[in-house]
Short mmCIF file of all heavy atoms in Angstrom, two decimals:
data_model
loop_
_atom_site.label_atom_id
_atom_site.label_comp_id
_atom_site.label_asym_id
_atom_site.label_seq_id
_atom_site.Cartn_x
_atom_site.Cartn_y
_atom_site.Cartn_z
N ILE A 133 233.56 13.47 9.73
CA ILE A 133 233.36 12.61 10.88
C ILE A 133 231.90 12.18 10.85
O ILE A 133 231.00 13.01 10.88
CB ILE A 133 233.77 13.26 12.23
CG1 ILE A 133 233.58 12.25 13.36
CG2 ILE A 133 233.05 14.56 12.48
CD1 ILE A 133 234.27 12.61 14.64
N ALA A 134 231.72 10.87 10.73
CA ALA A 134 230.37 10.29 10.70
C ALA A 134 230.21 9.46 11.97
O ALA A 134 229.91 9.99 13.02
CB ALA A 134 230.19 9.48 9.42
N THR A 135 230.49 8.15 11.89
CA THR A 135 230.37 7.31 13.09
C THR A 135 231.59 7.41 13.99
O THR A 135 231.54 7.00 15.14
CB THR A 135 230.15 5.84 12.71
OG1 THR A 135 231.30 5.36 12.01
CG2 THR A 135 228.89 5.67 11.86
N GLY A 136 232.70 7.92 13.46
CA GLY A 136 233.91 8.13 14.26
C GLY A 136 234.86 6.95 14.32
O GLY A 136 235.94 7.06 14.90
N GLY A 137 234.51 5.83 13.73
CA GLY A 137 235.34 4.63 13.82
C GLY A 137 236.72 4.76 13.22
O GLY A 137 237.72 4.33 13.80
N ILE A 139 238.44 7.56 12.57
CA ILE A 139 239.22 8.55 13.31
C ILE A 139 239.66 7.97 14.66
O ILE A 139 240.81 8.16 15.09
CB ILE A 139 238.44 9.86 13.48
CG1 ILE A 139 238.28 10.51 12.10
CG2 ILE A 139 239.15 10.81 14.45
CD1 ILE A 139 237.34 11.69 12.06
N GLU A 140 238.78 7.26 15.31
CA GLU A 140 239.13 6.62 16.58
C GLU A 140 240.30 5.65 16.39
O GLU A 140 241.25 5.64 17.18
CB GLU A 140 237.92 5.89 17.15
CG GLU A 140 238.18 5.18 18.47
CD GLU A 140 236.98 4.36 18.92
OE1 GLU A 140 236.37 3.66 18.09
OE2 GLU A 140 236.68 4.43 20.12
N GLU A 161 230.75 17.32 9.53
CA GLU A 161 230.32 16.42 10.60
C GLU A 161 228.85 16.09 10.39
O GLU A 161 228.04 16.99 10.15
CB GLU A 161 230.49 17.06 11.97
CG GLU A 161 229.99 16.19 13.11
CD GLU A 161 230.16 16.82 14.48
OE1 GLU A 161 230.40 18.04 14.57
OE2 GLU A 161 230.03 16.08 15.47
N LEU A 162 228.53 14.81 10.48
CA LEU A 162 227.14 14.35 10.46
C LEU A 162 226.77 14.09 11.92
O LEU A 162 227.02 13.01 12.46
CB LEU A 162 226.99 13.10 9.60
CG LEU A 162 227.44 13.24 8.14
CD1 LEU A 162 227.28 11.92 7.41
CD2 LEU A 162 226.68 14.35 7.44
N LYS A 163 226.19 15.09 12.57
CA LYS A 163 225.94 15.03 14.02
C LYS A 163 225.03 13.87 14.42
O LYS A 163 225.18 13.33 15.51
CB LYS A 163 225.34 16.34 14.50
CG LYS A 163 226.32 17.48 14.57
CD LYS A 163 225.60 18.72 15.03
CE LYS A 163 226.54 19.60 15.81
NZ LYS A 163 225.85 20.77 16.36
N GLY A 164 224.11 13.51 13.56
CA GLY A 164 223.16 12.45 13.89
C GLY A 164 223.79 11.09 14.07
O GLY A 164 223.16 10.18 14.61
N LEU A 165 225.04 10.92 13.66
CA LEU A 165 225.73 9.64 13.82
C LEU A 165 226.60 9.61 15.08
O LEU A 165 227.20 8.58 15.39
CB LEU A 165 226.56 9.32 12.57
CG LEU A 165 225.72 9.10 11.31
CD1 LEU A 165 226.60 8.94 10.09
CD2 LEU A 165 224.80 7.90 11.47
N HIS A 166 226.72 10.73 15.77
CA HIS A 166 227.39 10.83 17.07
C HIS A 166 228.85 10.37 17.06
O HIS A 166 229.35 9.85 18.06
CB HIS A 166 226.61 10.06 18.14
CG HIS A 166 225.17 10.47 18.20
ND1 HIS A 166 224.76 11.67 18.73
CD2 HIS A 166 224.05 9.84 17.75
CE1 HIS A 166 223.45 11.76 18.63
NE2 HIS A 166 222.98 10.68 18.03
N GLY A 167 229.55 10.58 15.96
CA GLY A 167 230.94 10.15 15.85
C GLY A 167 231.86 10.83 16.84
O GLY A 167 232.80 10.21 17.35
N ARG A 168 231.62 12.08 17.13
CA ARG A 168 232.51 12.80 18.05
C ARG A 168 232.47 12.17 19.44
O ARG A 168 233.43 12.29 20.19
CB ARG A 168 232.21 14.29 18.02
CG ARG A 168 231.42 14.87 19.06
CD ARG A 168 231.26 16.38 19.07
NE ARG A 168 231.40 17.10 17.84
CZ ARG A 168 232.16 18.18 17.69
NH1 ARG A 168 232.84 18.68 18.69
NH2 ARG A 168 232.22 18.80 16.53
N ASP A 169 231.39 11.49 19.80
CA ASP A 169 231.29 10.85 21.11
C ASP A 169 232.33 9.73 21.29
O ASP A 169 232.67 9.39 22.41
CB ASP A 169 229.89 10.27 21.33
CG ASP A 169 228.81 11.35 21.35
OD1 ASP A 169 229.14 12.55 21.50
OD2 ASP A 169 227.62 10.99 21.20
N ARG A 170 232.80 9.16 20.19
CA ARG A 170 233.80 8.08 20.25
C ARG A 170 235.21 8.60 20.44
O ARG A 170 236.10 7.84 20.79
CB ARG A 170 233.75 7.25 18.98
CG ARG A 170 232.47 6.47 18.84
CD ARG A 170 232.46 5.66 17.58
NE ARG A 170 233.41 4.57 17.65
CZ ARG A 170 233.42 3.57 16.78
NH1 ARG A 170 232.55 3.54 15.79
NH2 ARG A 170 234.30 2.60 16.89
N ILE A 171 235.43 9.87 20.16
CA ILE A 171 236.77 10.44 20.21
C ILE A 171 237.02 10.97 21.62
O ILE A 171 236.54 12.04 21.98
CB ILE A 171 236.96 11.56 19.17
CG1 ILE A 171 236.42 11.13 17.79
CG2 ILE A 171 238.41 12.00 19.10
CD1 ILE A 171 236.98 9.86 17.24
N VAL A 176 237.34 17.84 19.18
CA VAL A 176 236.97 17.59 17.78
C VAL A 176 236.29 18.85 17.26
O VAL A 176 235.44 19.43 17.93
CB VAL A 176 236.00 16.40 17.66
CG1 VAL A 176 235.54 16.21 16.22
CG2 VAL A 176 236.63 15.13 18.21
#
Side-chain angles (χ1 to χ4, degrees):
I133 182 165
T135 63
I139 293 170
E140 179 185 44
E161 177 180 15
L162 302 178
K163 286 179 149 185
L165 295 174
H166 307 287
R168 101 173 25 229
D169 297 344
R170 293 180 70 167
I171 313 305
V176 176

